[in-house]
């Protein structure tokens, strides 16, 4: 079978991993208890889990593989970085052996590799993209849509980006900073923060940087959480009432115990394939655990969009190279094939039912 | 009496359920040797008993294989392998004597017997490829991975012997891989169906052997109670031996060219 694209991912929780194994075991076998799954999963070598077919609204189709690196959900911390890079490299080699033409690196896979593309296997058959440009596109579009729904003017807003120096965070900063009143950049690496802050300030944008969220002079009313956290552990205790908060992490950034009364939280960076998708075996709702059909992370959708377009190129590589122009380009490609911003939702369910959404506001291609 | 670990049994010098501890010390062992017997010796005794039994079974399998070969070179090769496996069994038994324990073997123990029956089924059908799949892909994956894991924890020459034999078994697998890859190239679907059929028998049995608990009762190889709960005393566990073995098996199937998403499903369906 010709493999147009491959998607490299991992499960963000033991619950998600259990569901994947339950499908693999099939209905004739009882699901494994979580303790057994914790014993088994770390030993599974990276490999394809299922075939994926994606359909464009133009009628084009692309076929691919979902490859799981089987990084155990409790081993996403820095202590396991070498083990996890090895897993991603093996998953990448698997994709290359399958002769996938374009390969997306989902979740932590891209975080591990974005600064180390030279560690990927050297095969001319497969090209790799982090997929981060389309993720940024959907985060930006989600913020714009949420502001529209909430009757908020983005240009009057103070935008806080947590994880601002990462590939996704810096891409969001470059796209949104010119459209807001002030930008607060937060990350762990102060040198990178200074560089990004200086870059934006040179454009005449009001910027503050801080490694500690408490240090900012003002409270943000629009927040993007794009930090690479091993588990949902972020507490945002200094944001404006009724702030719009986009949790764009995978795994999610926001702690379940984060108290943000009045905040409008949504999960960002997600797109929906309106032409439809098919998994074999049927992993619908298992690999893409969202309340709407055919919703997938933007980073994975980037490879699908490029495959549907027949543009097999390393669209997103390295860290810090995402520009508004590149974001517009990939969103235009995606939209041409019916891949749009997914309906907004959060842990409590869909958000747009309660809000008056202008027709097709999520499908506007322009930024 | 509450269940106690194998090392507790030995140190306390009290009867264990189903026997007495002296049964694990080799006849002729001197008093000094008994005193210096490591608390973990009874654990290694059972680990070695499984290894010796597996090696003897492999020797029997290669001898049987030689009987369905037509080519004199293949016959000689199979008999040489059989001899090599007997040598491994002898080496493991010698390691047992070094730590003062008698290593028993039991190729008629329920799980090993079942594995032998599957192999003999292939022999009856003169299915040379089936024999290689059972012995080289399934049983050797189990041996290579578990020996290598044991070698990391076993002390002194015991560890070195496990490491050496793991490496030698891996060479066997390499030899068979070339034959099996060529066979698969002729008719991949037919080949994969055969592997799956054998997987259901052989790997289900191996999975039961590697399960954290022996749900079918005593394995008939451990000298007393099941060794698995005591493995943590020598920094091993049944779960990691199973994990390492199944990982090796999946990698071997990958190297043969079987689709990874298919073999993942096979392994996911094994008993735990």
């Amino acid at each position: 079978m010709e493999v147009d694209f491959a998607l490299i991912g991992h499960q963000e929780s033991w619950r998600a991993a259990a569901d994947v194994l339950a499908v693999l075991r099939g209905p004739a076998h009882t699901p494994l208890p979580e303790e057994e799954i914790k014993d088994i999963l770390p030993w599974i070598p990276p490999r394809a889990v299922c075939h994926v077919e994606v359909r464009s609204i133009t009628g084009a189709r692309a076929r691919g593989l979902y490859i799981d690196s089987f990084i155990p959900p409790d081993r996403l911390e820095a202590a396991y970085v070498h083990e996890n890079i090895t897993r991603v490299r093996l998953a990448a080699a698997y994709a290359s052996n399958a002769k996938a033409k374009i390969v997306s690196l989902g979740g932590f896979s891209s975080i591990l590799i974005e600064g180390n593309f030279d560690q990927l296997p050297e095969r001319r058959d497969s090209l790799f993209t982090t997929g981060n440009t389309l993720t940024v596109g959907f985060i930006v579009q989600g913020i714009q849509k949420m502001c529209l729904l909430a009757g908020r003017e983005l240009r009057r807003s103070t935008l806080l980006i947590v994880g601002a120096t990462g590939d996704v965070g810096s891409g969001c900063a470059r796209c949104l900073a010119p459209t807001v009143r002030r930008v607060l950049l937060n990350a762990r690496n102060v040198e990178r923060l200074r560089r990004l802050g200086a870059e934006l300030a040179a454009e005449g944008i009001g910027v503050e940087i801080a490694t500690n969220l408490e240090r900012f002079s003002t409270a943000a009313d629009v927040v993007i959480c794009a930090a690479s956290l091993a588990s949902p552990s972020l507490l945002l205790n200094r944001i404006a009432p009724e702030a719009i908060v986009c949790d764009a992490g995978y795994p999610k950034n926001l702690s379940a115990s984060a108290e943000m009364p009045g905040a409008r939280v949504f999960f960002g960076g997600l797109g929906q394939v309106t032409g439809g998708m098919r998994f074999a075996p049927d992993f619908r709702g298992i690999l893409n655990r969202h309340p709407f059909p055919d919703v997938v992370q933007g980073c994975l959708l980037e490879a699908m969009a490029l495959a549907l377009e027949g543009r097999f190129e390393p669209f997103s590589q390295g860290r810090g190279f995402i520009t508004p122009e590149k974001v517009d380009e990939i969103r235009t490609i995606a939209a041409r094939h019916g891949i749009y911003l997914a309906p907004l939702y959060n842990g409590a369910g869909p958000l747009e039912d309660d809000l008056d959404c202008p027709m097709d506001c999520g499908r506007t291609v322009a930024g | 009496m509450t269940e106690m670990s194998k090392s507790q049994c030995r140190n306390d010098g009290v009867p264990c359920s189903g026997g007495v501890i002296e049964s694990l010390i080799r006849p002729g062992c001197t008093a000094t040797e008994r005193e210096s017997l490591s608390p973990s010796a009874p654990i290694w005794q059972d680990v070695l008993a499984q290894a010796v039994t597996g090696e003897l079974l492999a020797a029997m399998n290669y001898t049987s294989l030689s009987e369905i070969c037509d080519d004199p070179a293949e016959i000689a090769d199979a008999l040489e392998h059989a001899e090599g496996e007997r040598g491994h069994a002898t080496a493991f038994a010698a390691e047992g004597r070094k730590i003062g324990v008698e290593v028993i073997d039991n190729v008629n123990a329920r799980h090993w017997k079942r594995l032998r029956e599957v192999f003999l089924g292939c022999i009856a059908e003169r299915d040379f490829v089936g024999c290689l799949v059972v012995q080289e892909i399934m049983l050797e994956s189990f041996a290579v991975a578990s020996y290598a894991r044991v070698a990391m924890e076993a002390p002194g020459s015991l560890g070195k012997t496990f490491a050496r034999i793991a490496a030698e078994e891996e060479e066997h697998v390499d030899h068979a891989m070339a034959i099996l890859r060529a066979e698969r190239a002729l008719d991949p679907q037919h080949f994969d169906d055969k592997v799956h059929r054998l997987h259901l028998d052989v790997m289900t049995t191996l999975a039961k052997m590697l399960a954290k608990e022996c749900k079918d009762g005593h394995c008939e190889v451990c000298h007393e109670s099941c060794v698995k709960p005591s493995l943590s005393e020598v920094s091993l566990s049944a779960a990691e031996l199973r994990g390492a073995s199944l990982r090796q098996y999946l990698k071997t199937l990958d190297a043969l060219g079987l689709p990874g998403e298919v073999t993942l499903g096979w392994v996911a369906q094994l008993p735990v």
Side-chain angles (χ1 to χ4, degrees):
Chain A
M1 183 195 97
E2 195 161 285
V3 180
D4 300 313
F5 63 87
L7 316 171
I8 293 178
H10 60 89
Q11 302 309 311
E12 65 173 330
S13 67
W14 286 113
R15 168 76 193 279
D19 288 348
V20 169
L21 283 172
V23 172
L24 290 168
R25 278 174 72 77
H29 297 80
T30 54
L32 295 174
E34 190 169 300
E35 285 311 305
E36 288 287 353
I37 290 166
K38 287 181 175 176
D39 280 340
I40 291 169
L41 187 126
W43 295 97
I44 302 175
R47 61 195 39 252
V49 167
C50 65
H51 294 261
V52 182
E53 185 183 271
V54 60
R55 291 185 284 269
S56 164
I57 52 174
T58 67
R61 291 176 184 219
R63 291 189 293 184
L65 293 171
Y66 169 72
I67 297 168
D68 205 307
S69 55
F70 289 107
I71 296 174
D74 59 0
R75 291 193 199 171
L76 292 168
E77 288 95 349
Y80 299 99
V81 67
H82 296 295
E83 175 188 321
N84 291 339
I85 286 176
T86 300
R87 284 181 179 274
V88 175
R89 281 172 51 84
L90 289 170
Y94 194 100
S96 287
N97 288 337
K99 296 187 169 55
K101 294 175 190 166
I102 182 83
V103 186
S104 257
L105 301 165
F108 258 57
S109 313
S110 66
I111 293 162
L112 290 163
I113 295 292
E114 66 190 18
N116 306 288
F117 257 72
D118 55 331
Q119 294 204 23
L120 291 172
E122 287 180 27
R123 297 288 179 91
R124 271 176 288 177
D125 295 334
S126 299
L127 295 166
F128 291 86
T129 179
T130 62
N132 287 342
T133 310
L134 190 53
T135 296
V136 169
F138 286 139
I139 292 170
V140 168
Q141 212 172 353
I143 291 284
Q144 291 165 336
K145 182 178 182 181
M146 199 65 184
C147 286
L148 198 61
L149 291 169
R152 199 83 58 82
E153 283 190 74
L154 194 53
R155 66 188 173 87
R156 294 178 186 276
S157 298
T158 296
L159 169 68
L160 164 65
I161 302 177
V162 182
T165 60
D167 197 34
V168 169
S170 60
C172 290
R174 289 190 187 97
C175 290
L176 284 172
T179 70
V180 299
R181 186 175 63 83
R182 189 165 188 76
V183 183
L184 314 177
L185 304 175
N186 167 258
R188 286 170 289 201
N189 187 313
V190 72
E191 272 312 307
R192 286 191 198 141
L193 265 180
R194 283 192 184 124
R195 279 200 297 273
L196 181 62
E199 177 191 326
L200 298 178
E203 303 288 319
I205 296 163
V207 185
E208 277 184 52
I209 61 168
T211 53
N212 184 338
L213 288 168
E214 304 289 330
R215 295 279 176 84
F216 290 115
S217 65
T218 184
D221 52 7
V222 176
V223 182
I224 295 171
C225 303
S228 45
L229 300 180
S231 60
S233 53
L234 182 65
L235 297 166
L236 288 173
N237 48 8
R238 196 164 176 276
I239 57 172
E242 299 190 354
I244 287 171
V245 180
C246 170
D247 190 340
Y250 184 91
K252 297 281 180 287
N253 277 192
L254 290 171
S255 166
S257 61
E259 287 184 23
M260 296 179 294
R264 295 168 187 259
V265 179
F266 73 99
F267 298 152
L270 303 168
Q272 187 173 37
V273 183
T274 57
M277 294 175 70
R278 197 170 60 83
F279 297 90
D282 190 0
F283 275 96
R284 265 177 310 169
I286 303 294
L287 289 175
N288 53 344
R289 304 162 67 85
H290 310 286
F292 307 100
D294 302 329
V295 170
V296 180
Q297 278 93 353
C299 54
L300 301 179
L301 285 171
E302 186 171 297
M304 296 189 208
L306 290 169
L308 287 168
E309 186 79 352
R311 271 183 66 168
F312 299 103
E313 61 184 78
F315 197 87
S316 311
Q317 281 202 346
R319 180 195 288 148
F321 301 116
I322 296 175
T323 62
E325 293 74 27
K326 291 281 278 183
V327 170
D328 282 347
E329 186 181 2
I330 193 67
R331 274 172 49 183
T332 302
I333 291 169
R336 190 150 49 233
H337 297 285
I339 299 173
Y340 305 112
L341 174 69
L344 301 180
Y345 78 97
N346 62 23
L351 288 168
E352 294 171 42
D353 295 350
D354 303 330
L355 299 161
D356 197 16
C357 181
M359 197 69 160
D360 255 359
C361 63
R363 300 187 180 185
T364 309
V365 172
Chain B
M1 189 174 113
T2 54
E3 190 174 347
M4 59 180 67
S5 74
K6 285 180 178 279
S7 60
Q8 282 173 322
C9 280
R10 225 217 71 74
N11 286 339
D12 294 345
V14 294
C16 294
S17 58
V20 289
I21 60 163
E22 280 75 16
S23 66
L24 61 90
I25 300 171
R26 72 181 158 87
C29 187
T30 67
T32 311
E33 282 174 324
R34 284 186 195 200
E35 280 169 18
S36 64
L37 197 61
S38 156
S40 60
I43 298 167
W44 296 123
Q45 181 185 31
D46 284 347
V47 172
L48 284 164
Q50 297 287 354
V52 169
T53 302
E55 294 298 331
L56 290 176
L57 189 100
M60 292 161 67
N61 285 349
Y62 282 118
T63 304
S64 302
L65 183 63
S66 72
E67 291 160 10
I68 64 164
C69 293
D70 298 323
D71 182 346
E74 284 179 351
I75 294 170
D77 203 30
L79 290 175
E80 188 186 336
H81 275 163
E83 196 52 37
E85 305 292 14
R86 269 189 288 274
H88 292 163
T90 303
F92 283 136
E95 288 301 330
R97 284 192 293 279
K98 283 184 196 169
I99 59 170
V101 295
E102 192 71 20
V103 178
I104 60 143
D105 62 81
N106 183 7
V107 291
N108 289 314
R110 67 159 63 84
H111 294 311
W112 291 109
K113 187 178 176 185
R114 178 68 200 137
L115 295 172
R116 174 74 174 148
E117 284 169 356
V118 179
F119 190 87
L120 288 175
C122 295
I123 292 288
E125 292 172 17
R126 300 186 71 80
D127 181 0
F128 180 77
V129 168
C131 289
L132 286 189
V133 167
V134 171
Q135 184 58 43
E136 301 283 10
I137 303 304
M138 297 173 179
L139 297 179
E140 297 296 8
S141 288
F142 168 65
V144 167
S146 53
Y147 292 176
R149 186 67 197 88
V150 170
M152 291 164 72
E153 304 300 340
S157 71
L158 182 58
K160 286 179 184 151
T161 297
F162 269 106
R164 174 178 64 79
I165 294 175
E168 288 176 12
E169 300 290 18
E170 204 158 11
E171 281 176 27
H172 283 194
V173 177
D174 287 345
H175 173 76
M177 289 297 280
I179 298 170
L180 292 174
R181 274 197 208 99
E183 183 68 21
R184 186 173 189 272
L186 297 175
D187 187 345
Q189 191 58 54
H190 177 74
F191 182 89
D192 295 358
D193 289 346
K194 179 194 291 257
V195 175
H196 187 218
R197 183 172 51 80
L198 293 168
H199 163 94
L200 291 173
D201 246 340
V202 176
M203 293 309 292
T204 298
T205 304
L206 283 174
K208 285 179 182 173
M209 293 168 74
L210 291 164
K212 284 195 277 190
E213 293 169 25
C214 287
K215 291 176 180 163
D216 298 334
H218 195 279
C219 69
E220 300 168 352
V221 178
C222 287
H223 74 274
E224 290 286 355
S225 57
C226 180
V227 73
K228 290 175 186 172
S230 305
L231 287 173
S232 60
E233 294 173 38
V234 292
S235 303
L236 290 170
S237 73
E240 64 183 321
L241 292 175
R242 174 183 62 186
S245 299
L246 293 178
R247 179 166 67 183
Q248 180 74 28
Y249 174 57
L250 283 170
K251 285 181 174 176
T252 307
L253 295 178
D254 288 348
L256 274 178
L258 276 82
E261 68 276 20
V262 173
T263 57
L264 177 60
W266 295 357
V267 167
Q269 289 168 11
L270 289 171
V272 294

